[in-house]
Amino acid sequence: MNSQTPLRINGERLWNSLMELAKLGATEKGGVCRIALTDLDRQGRDLFTRWAREAGCEVRVDQIGNIFARRAGRDNALPPVVTGSHIDTQPTGGKFDGNYGVLAGLEVIRSLNDANVVTEAPLEIAVWTNEEGSRFVPVMMGSGVFADAFTLEHALAQRDNDGISVAEALASIGYAGATPASAAASPVGAYFEAHIEQGPVLEANERVIGVVEGALGQRWYDVVLQGMEAHAGPTPMELRKDALLAASELVIEVNRIALAHAPHGRGTVGWIENYPNSRNVIPGRVKLSVDLRAADDVVLSAMDAELKALVQRIAVKGKVEATVEQVVYFPPQPFTPTLVSAVREAAKAQGMTWMNVISGAGHDAVYLARVCPAAMIFVPCLDGISHNEIEDAQPGHLEAGCNVLLQAMLQSAGVAA
């Protein structure tokens, strides 16, 4: 059997599994609220592990709560071919973000069982802890610990708004595992992640499969502009130190920086805090976020330098003081060419429309790519909407992506004679 095999997954079963999982934390608007390490998350984990065991998998949980469901291969000494994602959601999340990647992996296992196919290397499904970061920071916590992006101790010590630590939350839901949370302790032969695109590119180009070549690098900043509050009436325009006026110029410049680095440059000001926020007082202090992204680290560094220079020029012009603090840095992450090619060839072999894409969002695969060969498969989502209760995807697209995942995993794992 090779990548041309006629073996296909059961699309109806995949869809039904997605809908069953979506009942846990279902919202009135048709979305899902299943926050990391809550009782609803426990219920989702329990459902997945039950399904995995019913499919003949051996389940283990590591020290950060990552779940691994293993289907034995002919040679279990080989490192496994792993697929997965997450099942925690945003407070107003959807049915597919993360969940699709986990249940697509489960459907691959079920379909191989149906066909009595034995792979050379073992296969695993990973459910990564706290990917969304809506309750605990940092985001992508489970895969980050696994890839040694930060320490287990640091992650376990993080607390939510109620003062509950990750360690306490894991223990409370029964998912504080004993297995070391480390790729060094559990080597991975290859990692694939299927995901809805979370953007409009595939839909706009009428393509079913996104062959993900890599992920954009990210730099996040907190910028503070300090002027002086004063009465809006008596203070002449030329004598003002208006922090919000300076911030407004910066918002426009962030947009310009991104457009100057097309096609993959991104620039966003998503949060602004204005003080004192009174209608007849000149704003004296503004704090805002800046999010810069690019596919190449040289470009991202150039955008960083432009931003810092612009902030200082705007500060001088507006007679305000300015500080820029970088709070997040993810370097651009290319995926492994051989695995990317396996995804592309699987789509071609099955007659699917496809295109090469770059992921604009962070995913667990970005961390896994630091410790093993990795690639991603995107499928369209309606209007590019995600992290939203109205998030939607067509059953046929989800089935197509899962069929590509199946073939790519078989190519990597091999089929026993």
Side-chain angles (χ1 to χ4, degrees):
M1 187 178 295
N2 56 34
S3 63
Q4 307 294 323
T5 176
L7 181 62
R8 296 290 185 268
I9 63 98
N10 184 327
E12 182 178 1
R13 181 170 56 194
L14 170 61
W15 180 261
N16 289 340
S17 297
L18 283 162
M19 295 305 103
E20 185 69 21
L21 180 59
K23 292 177 182 178
L24 301 176
T27 66
E28 291 184 2
K29 293 182 180 180
V32 180
C33 177
R34 195 169 52 243
I35 306 300
L37 308 187
T38 60
D39 189 65
L40 282 169
D41 188 25
R42 176 195 61 78
Q43 293 178 44
R45 288 162 171 261
D46 288 351
L47 179 61
F48 168 77
T49 55
R50 175 169 66 81
W51 281 342
R53 290 189 174 103
E54 290 172 354
C57 293
E58 176 187 334
V59 176
R60 71 183 190 278
V61 180
D62 72 13
Q63 293 167 305
I64 195 61
N66 297 322
I67 303 169
F68 299 91
R70 183 182 182 97
R71 183 182 193 262
R74 190 198 67 80
D75 184 356
N76 290 307
L78 293 172
V81 174
V82 180
T83 188
S85 195
H86 61 97
I87 61 172
D88 66 307
T89 75
Q90 291 286 336
T92 54
K95 300 182 182 76
F96 306 102
D97 176 13
N99 304 289
Y100 171 55
V102 170
L103 296 184
L106 178 63
E107 180 53 37
V108 166
I109 300 296
R110 288 168 164 172
S111 297
L112 292 176
N113 289 347
D114 291 344
N116 295 313
V117 172
V118 178
T119 56
E120 191 70 20
L123 305 181
E124 288 188 357
I125 312 163
V127 181
W128 304 107
T129 294
N130 188 51
E131 193 273 352
E132 293 290 3
S134 59
R135 181 182 180 191
F136 299 102
V137 293
V139 301
M140 303 187 297
M141 179 179 284
S143 57
V145 170
F146 186 80
D148 201 28
F150 33 84
T151 68
L152 173 66
E153 293 73 22
H154 173 76
L156 291 175
Q158 300 309 299
R159 295 184 180 274
D160 66 9
N161 290 335
D162 295 321
I164 300 170
S165 72
V166 171
E168 291 165 347
L170 281 169
S172 72
I173 66 167
Y175 278 87
T179 302
S182 166
S186 301
V188 175
Y191 179 77
F192 293 95
E193 185 168 351
H195 210 284
I196 58 170
E197 182 192 2
Q198 300 182 290
V201 176
L202 292 176
E203 187 177 59
N205 287 276
E206 298 183 339
R207 298 293 190 271
V208 173
I209 299 297
V211 180
V212 188
E213 297 181 301
L216 298 182
Q218 304 179 36
R219 289 183 186 267
W220 295 1
Y221 309 84
D222 285 342
V223 179
V224 177
L225 300 168
Q226 182 67 57
M228 180 178 292
E229 308 93 80
H231 198 296
T235 311
M237 301 300 290
E238 68 275 10
L239 298 180
R240 297 182 177 200
K241 297 179 180 179
D242 188 333
L244 185 57
L245 180 62
S248 300
E249 292 190 44
L250 181 58
V251 172
I252 294 171
E253 288 298 327
V254 167
N255 191 66
R256 185 198 60 75
I257 289 171
L259 290 171
H261 294 282
H264 298 306
R266 304 285 189 272
T268 306
V269 175
W271 175 82
I272 296 178
E273 180 183 78
N274 180 46
Y275 177 84
N277 208 32
S278 175
R279 67 173 64 239
N280 63 343
V281 178
I282 298 164
R285 183 178 186 272
V286 172
K287 184 175 181 180
L288 67 155
S289 66
V290 176
D291 178 331
L292 297 180
R293 307 189 187 206
D296 181 273
D297 210 29
V298 172
V299 173
L300 189 58
S301 294
M303 294 170 73
D304 170 78
E306 286 182 58
L307 173 70
K308 291 173 179 175
L310 280 165
V311 169
Q312 295 309 314
R313 287 204 294 272
I314 289 170
V316 171
K317 177 183 175 183
K319 294 172 285 189
V320 300
E321 296 179 358
T323 60
V324 180
E325 179 187 5
Q326 181 175 290
V327 293
V328 168
Y329 170 57
F330 289 110
Q333 181 60 65
F335 290 139
T336 308
T338 53
L339 268 60
V340 172
S341 178
V343 171
R344 186 182 297 113
E345 293 307 311
K348 288 181 180 179
Q350 297 175 76
M352 299 173 185
T353 56
W354 62 275
M355 64 183 293
N356 296 326
V357 296
I358 296 290
S359 174
H363 296 284
D364 294 306
V366 174
Y367 277 144
L368 268 291
R370 298 184 183 186
V371 295
C372 70
M376 291 191 73
I377 302 158
F378 278 173
V379 296
C381 54
L382 182 64
D383 296 327
I385 295 173
S386 183
H387 285 195
N388 189 311
E389 291 164 284
I390 65 171
E391 177 183 279
D392 199 9
Q394 293 184 25
H397 292 165
L398 299 170
E399 180 178 353
C402 192
N403 275 319
V404 170
L405 176 67
L406 168 65
Q407 300 304 332
M409 292 184 73
L410 283 177
Q411 181 171 323
S412 292
V415 176

